[in-house]
Amino acid sequence: MRALRYDEVGALPRIDRVPVPDCPPGGALVRVEATGVCRSDWHAWQGHEIVPLPQTPGHEFAGTVAEIGDGVGRFAVGARVTAPFVNGCGTCAWCRAGDAQVCPDQNQPGFTHPGSFAEYVVVRAADFNLVGLPDQVDAVAAAALGCRFATAYRALTGHAQVGPGTEVAVFGCGGVGLSAIMIAVALGARVTAVDRSAAALDRAREFGAAGTVRSADPLDQVAQVVAATGGGAQVSVDALGSAGTADAAVRSLRRRGTHVQVGLMLGAAAAAPLPWDRVIAWELTVVGSHGMAAAGYPPMLDLVAAGRLGPAQLVGSVTDLAGAGDALVAMSDPAAAAAGIVVARP
């Protein structure tokens, strides 16, 4: 089969011919119909996360089941499916509680084993990790759900309990930030979007942001968000992942507000300080959000099928595997986020 691979950190990805993966017991072999190009793939390619080499990136995908392993009972060949980017073992205490996104024995296509920038990808513990797709959700829209949209959905519904009238501030209007804006608006919230890019904020307004803050100065961001939200947001989301945006997002909250950290904090940012005096005195909640387990997908898919959420609107272009490699390399330019999600069809 054809697969996009890189041999070394930062090496230009290339199309290779590789064997079709074996279908493991309890797993499924999925023929990939569409796969999203995500900044998490870029982080691994840049060496910010250690992955086995050579590696085929890709963890946001939709397709059809081509083969099932022994013991799979919930899915048959031909089923239209997607899967979370974190695949749980299905048997540990966290998986049994519905929290596969923090499974200590988790695996991730494109990170622990070859991913979906290929004609086929393996999903382990298929009965537990595969998600059936409604007829109304096509492959491109399902690939756009990926880690960005699903992570944003759980951040707002599972952690922050966003509802009608909630004041939400979203810092960073790339793929996950725009997803958070779309979802928050669909839930009835009032959203203030923060970014330094005018193009990104234009997209934020398209998705329903009631207010926008264009600034690269964290202190100015805080002041503008507090003014726009009538005293501070009830919920803040750092969708970028930096010391500055995390700090500004927390400081933008009103008393007893909730901050959800969605953007990855890597390198020096992994130990970035937060204003803990404010967190304690104002009884703020600070929580991390790492994807969403397969068990959490049905309510989100119901909203997509009903037309209340439109992940396909986040797609900027549809390309082939070679184009996916180009898009991965282009992510080295932060301005690329404003162009929308790139989805590849193998």
Side-chain angles (χ1 to χ4, degrees):
M1 70 173 184
R2 297 168 66 250
L4 184 76
R5 301 203 302 171
Y6 56 91
D7 294 324
E8 299 177 2
V9 169
L12 286 178
R14 68 179 191 279
I15 303 292
D16 274 352
R17 283 279 178 184
V18 299
V20 174
D22 293 330
C23 183
L29 182 66
V30 176
R31 182 174 65 83
V32 178
E33 294 182 7
T35 181
V37 183
C38 179
R39 183 158 288 273
S40 297
D41 299 310
W42 179 85
H43 281 300
W45 174 59
Q46 288 291 294
H48 302 154
E49 184 168 344
I50 303 303
V51 299
L53 297 173
Q55 184 59 270
T56 296
H59 57 282
E60 300 180 314
F61 63 89
T64 56
V65 175
E67 185 179 346
I68 57 172
D70 292 342
V72 176
R74 292 186 57 232
F75 294 90
V77 171
R80 298 182 61 248
V81 295
T82 186
F85 74 93
V86 173
N87 292 175
C89 69
T91 59
C92 70
W94 288 272
C95 284
R96 293 198 304 271
D99 291 323
Q101 74 282 349
V102 294
C103 171
D105 194 27
Q106 64 186 246
N107 65 88
Q108 299 184 36
F111 296 87
T112 60
H113 62 280
S116 54
F117 288 6
E119 294 181 78
Y120 294 89
V121 66
V122 165
V123 176
R124 299 169 184 170
D127 276 345
F128 185 75
N129 291 307
L130 285 180
V131 178
L133 289 173
D135 292 340
Q136 302 94 322
V137 182
D138 65 19
V140 170
L145 291 173
C147 78
R148 288 163 283 200
F149 201 90
T151 297
Y153 181 84
R154 183 167 174 274
L156 296 173
T157 60
H159 291 302
Q161 290 81 52
V162 168
T166 304
E167 289 282 357
V168 176
V170 176
F171 286 72
C173 298
V176 69
L178 292 175
S179 298
I181 291 166
M182 178 189 293
I183 294 163
V185 170
L187 296 172
R190 184 184 183 279
V191 179
T192 300
V194 183
D195 205 288
R196 65 179 63 187
S197 164
L201 292 175
D202 286 342
R203 292 282 281 165
R205 283 187 287 268
E206 289 176 18
F207 292 143
T212 57
V213 173
R214 186 185 179 192
S215 176
D217 179 359
L219 292 178
D220 182 48
Q221 292 172 353
V222 172
Q224 290 199 55
V225 171
V226 169
T229 56
Q234 291 164 293
V235 174
S236 64
V237 177
D238 176 9
L240 176 66
S242 75
T245 49
D247 183 83
V250 171
R251 293 184 186 277
S252 296
L253 290 170
R254 66 182 64 180
R255 296 170 190 268
R256 305 219 70 208
T258 297
H259 170 68
V260 189
Q261 186 64 39
V262 173
L264 295 176
M265 302 290 278
L266 300 169
L274 288 177
W276 291 108
D277 54 344
R278 173 78 63 93
V279 171
I280 295 168
W282 287 20
E283 292 194 353
L284 305 179
T285 298
V286 177
V287 62
S289 189
H290 186 239
M292 183 167 71
Y297 270 64
M300 177 181 70
L301 288 172
D302 287 345
L303 292 174
V304 176
R308 291 182 57 192
L309 292 176
Q313 297 174 45
L314 295 162
V315 177
S317 62
V318 179
T319 184
D320 57 12
L321 284 180
D326 294 339
L328 187 67
V329 173
M331 283 186 169
S332 296
D333 176 6
I341 292 174
V342 176
V343 173
R345 286 187 175 275

Short mmCIF file of all heavy atoms in Angstrom, two decimals, residues 230-280:
data_model
loop_
_atom_site.label_atom_id
_atom_site.label_comp_id
_atom_site.label_asym_id
_atom_site.label_seq_id
_atom_site.Cartn_x
_atom_site.Cartn_y
_atom_site.Cartn_z
N GLY A 230 -17.88 41.43 30.63
CA GLY A 230 -18.57 42.02 31.77
C GLY A 230 -17.98 41.60 33.10
O GLY A 230 -18.73 41.37 34.06
N GLY A 231 -16.65 41.52 33.17
CA GLY A 231 -16.01 41.20 34.43
C GLY A 231 -15.21 39.93 34.43
O GLY A 231 -14.67 39.54 35.47
N GLY A 232 -15.11 39.28 33.30
CA GLY A 232 -14.33 38.06 33.21
C GLY A 232 -15.14 36.90 32.68
O GLY A 232 -16.37 36.82 32.88
N ALA A 233 -14.46 36.00 31.97
CA ALA A 233 -15.14 34.83 31.41
C ALA A 233 -15.48 33.82 32.51
O ALA A 233 -14.78 33.73 33.52
CB ALA A 233 -14.26 34.17 30.35
N GLN A 234 -16.55 33.07 32.28
CA GLN A 234 -16.85 31.95 33.17
C GLN A 234 -16.03 30.73 32.82
O GLN A 234 -15.71 29.91 33.68
CB GLN A 234 -18.34 31.62 33.10
CG GLN A 234 -19.24 32.69 33.69
CD GLN A 234 -20.67 32.54 33.26
OE1 GLN A 234 -21.00 32.72 32.08
NE2 GLN A 234 -21.55 32.19 34.19
N VAL A 235 -15.68 30.63 31.53
CA VAL A 235 -14.87 29.52 31.03
C VAL A 235 -13.81 30.08 30.09
O VAL A 235 -14.13 30.88 29.20
CB VAL A 235 -15.72 28.48 30.28
CG1 VAL A 235 -14.85 27.41 29.63
CG2 VAL A 235 -16.74 27.84 31.21
N SER A 236 -12.56 29.68 30.29
CA SER A 236 -11.50 30.04 29.35
C SER A 236 -10.87 28.76 28.80
O SER A 236 -10.77 27.75 29.49
CB SER A 236 -10.42 30.91 30.01
OG SER A 236 -9.74 30.21 31.04
N VAL A 237 -10.47 28.83 27.55
CA VAL A 237 -9.84 27.71 26.87
C VAL A 237 -8.55 28.19 26.23
O VAL A 237 -8.57 29.14 25.42
CB VAL A 237 -10.76 27.12 25.78
CG1 VAL A 237 -10.05 26.00 25.02
CG2 VAL A 237 -12.07 26.62 26.37
N ASP A 238 -7.42 27.58 26.61
CA ASP A 238 -6.17 27.83 25.89
C ASP A 238 -6.08 26.78 24.81
O ASP A 238 -5.76 25.61 25.07
CB ASP A 238 -4.97 27.78 26.82
CG ASP A 238 -3.65 27.94 26.06
OD1 ASP A 238 -3.68 28.26 24.86
OD2 ASP A 238 -2.58 27.72 26.68
N ALA A 239 -6.37 27.17 23.58
CA ALA A 239 -6.34 26.24 22.45
C ALA A 239 -5.02 26.31 21.70
O ALA A 239 -4.84 25.57 20.73
CB ALA A 239 -7.49 26.56 21.50
N LEU A 240 -4.10 27.14 22.16
CA LEU A 240 -2.79 27.25 21.50
C LEU A 240 -1.75 26.40 22.23
O LEU A 240 -1.12 25.53 21.64
CB LEU A 240 -2.34 28.71 21.47
CG LEU A 240 -0.95 28.96 20.90
CD1 LEU A 240 -0.91 28.60 19.42
CD2 LEU A 240 -0.53 30.41 21.10
N GLY A 241 -1.59 26.67 23.52
CA GLY A 241 -0.61 25.93 24.29
C GLY A 241 0.71 26.67 24.40
O GLY A 241 1.67 26.36 23.72
N SER A 242 0.74 27.69 25.26
CA SER A 242 1.98 28.42 25.53
C SER A 242 1.88 28.99 26.93
O SER A 242 0.79 29.11 27.50
CB SER A 242 2.19 29.56 24.52
OG SER A 242 1.33 30.65 24.78
N ALA A 243 3.04 29.34 27.50
CA ALA A 243 3.04 29.91 28.84
C ALA A 243 2.21 31.19 28.88
O ALA A 243 1.44 31.42 29.82
CB ALA A 243 4.48 30.19 29.28
N GLY A 244 2.34 32.02 27.86
CA GLY A 244 1.62 33.28 27.84
C GLY A 244 0.13 33.13 27.71
O GLY A 244 -0.64 33.80 28.41
N THR A 245 -0.32 32.25 26.79
CA THR A 245 -1.77 32.09 26.60
C THR A 245 -2.42 31.39 27.80
O THR A 245 -3.54 31.74 28.19
CB THR A 245 -2.08 31.32 25.32
OG1 THR A 245 -1.29 30.11 25.27
CG2 THR A 245 -1.80 32.14 24.08
N ALA A 246 -1.73 30.44 28.39
CA ALA A 246 -2.29 29.77 29.56
C ALA A 246 -2.46 30.75 30.71
O ALA A 246 -3.51 30.79 31.38
CB ALA A 246 -1.40 28.60 29.98
N ASP A 247 -1.44 31.57 30.97
CA ASP A 247 -1.51 32.54 32.05
C ASP A 247 -2.61 33.57 31.79
O ASP A 247 -3.42 33.89 32.67
CB ASP A 247 -0.16 33.23 32.21
CG ASP A 247 -0.13 34.21 33.36
OD1 ASP A 247 0.09 33.77 34.51
OD2 ASP A 247 -0.33 35.42 33.13
N ALA A 248 -2.66 34.08 30.56
CA ALA A 248 -3.67 35.09 30.22
C ALA A 248 -5.07 34.52 30.32
O ALA A 248 -6.01 35.20 30.78
CB ALA A 248 -3.40 35.64 28.81
N ALA A 249 -5.23 33.28 29.89
CA ALA A 249 -6.56 32.66 29.95
C ALA A 249 -7.05 32.53 31.39
O ALA A 249 -8.22 32.79 31.68
CB ALA A 249 -6.52 31.30 29.26
N VAL A 250 -6.16 32.12 32.29
CA VAL A 250 -6.55 32.00 33.70
C VAL A 250 -6.88 33.38 34.28
O VAL A 250 -7.86 33.54 35.01
CB VAL A 250 -5.43 31.31 34.51
CG1 VAL A 250 -5.71 31.39 36.01
CG2 VAL A 250 -5.28 29.86 34.07
N ARG A 251 -6.08 34.38 33.97
CA ARG A 251 -6.31 35.72 34.50
C ARG A 251 -7.56 36.37 33.92
O ARG A 251 -8.06 37.36 34.47
CB ARG A 251 -5.09 36.60 34.24
CG ARG A 251 -3.84 36.18 35.02
CD ARG A 251 -2.69 37.14 34.79
NE ARG A 251 -1.47 36.67 35.42
CZ ARG A 251 -1.17 36.84 36.70
NH1 ARG A 251 -2.00 37.50 37.49
NH2 ARG A 251 -0.03 36.38 37.20
N SER A 252 -8.06 35.82 32.81
CA SER A 252 -9.26 36.38 32.18
C SER A 252 -10.55 35.88 32.82
O SER A 252 -11.64 36.34 32.45
CB SER A 252 -9.27 36.03 30.68
OG SER A 252 -8.18 36.62 30.02
N LEU A 253 -10.44 34.95 33.75
CA LEU A 253 -11.63 34.38 34.37
C LEU A 253 -12.20 35.28 35.45
O LEU A 253 -11.48 36.00 36.14
CB LEU A 253 -11.29 33.02 35.01
CG LEU A 253 -10.99 31.87 34.05
CD1 LEU A 253 -10.43 30.69 34.82
CD2 LEU A 253 -12.24 31.47 33.27
N ARG A 254 -13.51 35.20 35.64
CA ARG A 254 -14.14 35.80 36.80
C ARG A 254 -14.02 34.83 37.98
O ARG A 254 -13.58 33.69 37.80
CB ARG A 254 -15.61 36.13 36.52
CG ARG A 254 -16.51 34.94 36.28
CD ARG A 254 -17.93 35.37 35.95
NE ARG A 254 -17.98 36.12 34.70
CZ ARG A 254 -19.11 36.61 34.18
NH1 ARG A 254 -20.27 36.41 34.81
NH2 ARG A 254 -19.10 37.27 33.05
N ARG A 255 -14.42 35.25 39.14
CA ARG A 255 -14.33 34.39 40.32
C ARG A 255 -15.12 33.10 40.11
O ARG A 255 -16.21 33.11 39.55
CB ARG A 255 -14.84 35.15 41.55
CG ARG A 255 -13.98 36.35 41.90
CD ARG A 255 -14.58 37.25 42.96
NE ARG A 255 -13.82 38.49 43.07
CZ ARG A 255 -12.80 38.67 43.92
NH1 ARG A 255 -12.45 37.69 44.75
NH2 ARG A 255 -12.15 39.82 43.95
N ARG A 256 -14.54 31.99 40.55
CA ARG A 256 -15.11 30.64 40.45
C ARG A 256 -15.25 30.17 39.00
O ARG A 256 -16.02 29.27 38.69
CB ARG A 256 -16.45 30.53 41.17
CG ARG A 256 -16.41 30.95 42.64
CD ARG A 256 -17.25 30.08 43.53
NE ARG A 256 -16.66 28.74 43.66
CZ ARG A 256 -17.37 27.64 43.90
NH1 ARG A 256 -18.69 27.70 44.00
NH2 ARG A 256 -16.77 26.48 44.02
N GLY A 257 -14.44 30.77 38.13
CA GLY A 257 -14.43 30.34 36.74
C GLY A 257 -13.63 29.07 36.53
O GLY A 257 -12.96 28.55 37.43
N THR A 258 -13.70 28.55 35.30
CA THR A 258 -13.01 27.30 34.94
C THR A 258 -12.13 27.52 33.73
O THR A 258 -12.58 28.03 32.70
CB THR A 258 -14.03 26.19 34.61
OG1 THR A 258 -14.81 25.90 35.77
CG2 THR A 258 -13.33 24.91 34.16
N HIS A 259 -10.87 27.14 33.87
CA HIS A 259 -9.94 27.16 32.74
C HIS A 259 -9.69 25.74 32.27
O HIS A 259 -9.38 24.85 33.07
CB HIS A 259 -8.61 27.79 33.13
CG HIS A 259 -7.55 27.62 32.08
ND1 HIS A 259 -7.63 28.25 30.86
CD2 HIS A 259 -6.42 26.84 32.04
CE1 HIS A 259 -6.58 27.90 30.13
NE2 HIS A 259 -5.84 27.04 30.81
N VAL A 260 -9.79 25.52 30.95
CA VAL A 260 -9.50 24.22 30.37
C VAL A 260 -8.29 24.36 29.46
O VAL A 260 -8.30 25.14 28.50
CB VAL A 260 -10.69 23.65 29.57
CG1 VAL A 260 -10.41 22.20 29.18
CG2 VAL A 260 -11.98 23.73 30.37
N GLN A 261 -7.24 23.60 29.77
CA GLN A 261 -6.03 23.61 28.97
C GLN A 261 -6.12 22.53 27.90
O GLN A 261 -6.07 21.34 28.20
CB GLN A 261 -4.79 23.38 29.84
CG GLN A 261 -3.48 23.52 29.10
CD GLN A 261 -3.25 24.94 28.58
OE1 GLN A 261 -3.58 25.92 29.25
NE2 GLN A 261 -2.72 25.04 27.37
N VAL A 262 -6.29 22.95 26.66
CA VAL A 262 -6.41 22.03 25.53
C VAL A 262 -5.12 22.01 24.70
O VAL A 262 -4.66 20.96 24.28
CB VAL A 262 -7.62 22.41 24.66
CG1 VAL A 262 -7.65 21.57 23.39
CG2 VAL A 262 -8.92 22.22 25.43
N GLY A 263 -4.54 23.18 24.47
CA GLY A 263 -3.31 23.25 23.70
C GLY A 263 -2.19 22.53 24.42
O GLY A 263 -2.04 22.63 25.64
N LEU A 264 -1.39 21.78 23.66
CA LEU A 264 -0.29 21.02 24.25
C LEU A 264 0.77 21.95 24.81
O LEU A 264 1.16 22.93 24.17
CB LEU A 264 0.34 20.11 23.19
CG LEU A 264 -0.55 19.00 22.63
CD1 LEU A 264 0.18 18.25 21.52
CD2 LEU A 264 -0.97 18.04 23.73
N MET A 265 1.24 21.64 26.00
CA MET A 265 2.31 22.41 26.65
C MET A 265 3.58 21.59 26.56
O MET A 265 3.77 20.62 27.31
CB MET A 265 1.94 22.72 28.09
CG MET A 265 0.64 23.48 28.25
SD MET A 265 0.75 25.20 27.68
CE MET A 265 1.50 25.98 29.10
N LEU A 266 4.46 21.95 25.64
CA LEU A 266 5.65 21.16 25.35
C LEU A 266 6.91 21.97 25.62
O LEU A 266 6.88 23.19 25.71
CB LEU A 266 5.62 20.70 23.89
CG LEU A 266 4.41 19.83 23.50
CD1 LEU A 266 4.34 19.67 21.99
CD2 LEU A 266 4.47 18.48 24.18
N GLY A 267 8.03 21.26 25.76
CA GLY A 267 9.30 21.93 26.00
C GLY A 267 9.26 22.71 27.31
O GLY A 267 8.76 22.23 28.33
N ALA A 268 9.76 23.95 27.28
CA ALA A 268 9.78 24.78 28.49
C ALA A 268 8.38 25.07 29.00
O ALA A 268 8.17 25.25 30.21
CB ALA A 268 10.52 26.08 28.19
N ALA A 269 7.39 25.11 28.11
CA ALA A 269 6.02 25.40 28.53
C ALA A 269 5.43 24.31 29.41
O ALA A 269 4.46 24.55 30.13
CB ALA A 269 5.14 25.61 27.30
N ALA A 270 6.01 23.11 29.38
CA ALA A 270 5.48 22.01 30.19
C ALA A 270 5.56 22.32 31.68
O ALA A 270 4.79 21.76 32.48
CB ALA A 270 6.25 20.72 29.89
N ALA A 271 6.46 23.21 32.07
CA ALA A 271 6.58 23.58 33.48
C ALA A 271 6.23 25.05 33.69
O ALA A 271 6.70 25.69 34.63
CB ALA A 271 8.00 23.30 33.98
N ALA A 272 5.40 25.60 32.81
CA ALA A 272 5.05 27.02 32.89
C ALA A 272 4.28 27.32 34.16
O ALA A 272 3.40 26.54 34.57
CB ALA A 272 4.23 27.42 31.67
N PRO A 273 4.56 28.45 34.83
CA PRO A 273 3.82 28.81 36.04
C PRO A 273 2.43 29.35 35.72
O PRO A 273 2.18 29.83 34.61
CB PRO A 273 4.70 29.91 36.65
CG PRO A 273 5.38 30.54 35.47
CD PRO A 273 5.62 29.42 34.50
N LEU A 274 1.54 29.26 36.69
CA LEU A 274 0.22 29.87 36.62
C LEU A 274 0.04 30.75 37.85
O LEU A 274 0.71 30.54 38.87
CB LEU A 274 -0.88 28.80 36.56
CG LEU A 274 -1.02 28.01 35.27
CD1 LEU A 274 -2.10 26.94 35.41
CD2 LEU A 274 -1.34 28.93 34.08
N PRO A 275 -0.89 31.71 37.81
CA PRO A 275 -1.10 32.60 38.96
C PRO A 275 -1.89 31.88 40.07
O PRO A 275 -3.10 32.08 40.23
CB PRO A 275 -1.90 33.76 38.36
CG PRO A 275 -2.63 33.16 37.21
CD PRO A 275 -1.70 32.11 36.65
N TRP A 276 -1.18 31.05 40.82
CA TRP A 276 -1.86 30.20 41.81
C TRP A 276 -2.49 31.00 42.93
O TRP A 276 -3.45 30.54 43.56
CB TRP A 276 -0.87 29.16 42.35
CG TRP A 276 -0.50 28.16 41.30
CD1 TRP A 276 0.68 28.05 40.65
CD2 TRP A 276 -1.36 27.15 40.74
NE1 TRP A 276 0.63 27.03 39.72
CE2 TRP A 276 -0.61 26.46 39.75
CE3 TRP A 276 -2.68 26.77 40.98
CZ2 TRP A 276 -1.14 25.41 39.01
CZ3 TRP A 276 -3.21 25.73 40.24
CH2 TRP A 276 -2.44 25.06 39.27
N ASP A 277 -1.96 32.20 43.22
CA ASP A 277 -2.62 33.04 44.21
C ASP A 277 -4.04 33.38 43.77
O ASP A 277 -5.00 33.32 44.56
CB ASP A 277 -1.81 34.31 44.48
CG ASP A 277 -1.49 35.10 43.20
OD1 ASP A 277 -1.62 34.53 42.09
OD2 ASP A 277 -1.09 36.28 43.33
N ARG A 278 -4.19 33.70 42.49
CA ARG A 278 -5.52 33.99 41.93
C ARG A 278 -6.39 32.73 41.93
O ARG A 278 -7.58 32.78 42.26
CB ARG A 278 -5.36 34.52 40.50
CG ARG A 278 -6.65 34.72 39.72
CD ARG A 278 -7.36 35.99 40.13
NE ARG A 278 -6.59 37.18 39.83
CZ ARG A 278 -6.68 37.89 38.71
NH1 ARG A 278 -7.52 37.53 37.76
NH2 ARG A 278 -5.96 38.99 38.54
N VAL A 279 -5.80 31.60 41.54
CA VAL A 279 -6.55 30.34 41.50
C VAL A 279 -7.15 30.03 42.87
O VAL A 279 -8.32 29.65 42.99
CB VAL A 279 -5.64 29.18 41.03
CG1 VAL A 279 -6.35 27.84 41.20
CG2 VAL A 279 -5.23 29.38 39.57
N ILE A 280 -6.35 30.21 43.92
CA ILE A 280 -6.82 29.88 45.27
C ILE A 280 -7.82 30.92 45.78
O ILE A 280 -8.92 30.58 46.24
CB ILE A 280 -5.62 29.77 46.23
CG1 ILE A 280 -4.74 28.59 45.83
CG2 ILE A 280 -6.10 29.61 47.68
CD1 ILE A 280 -3.39 28.56 46.51
#
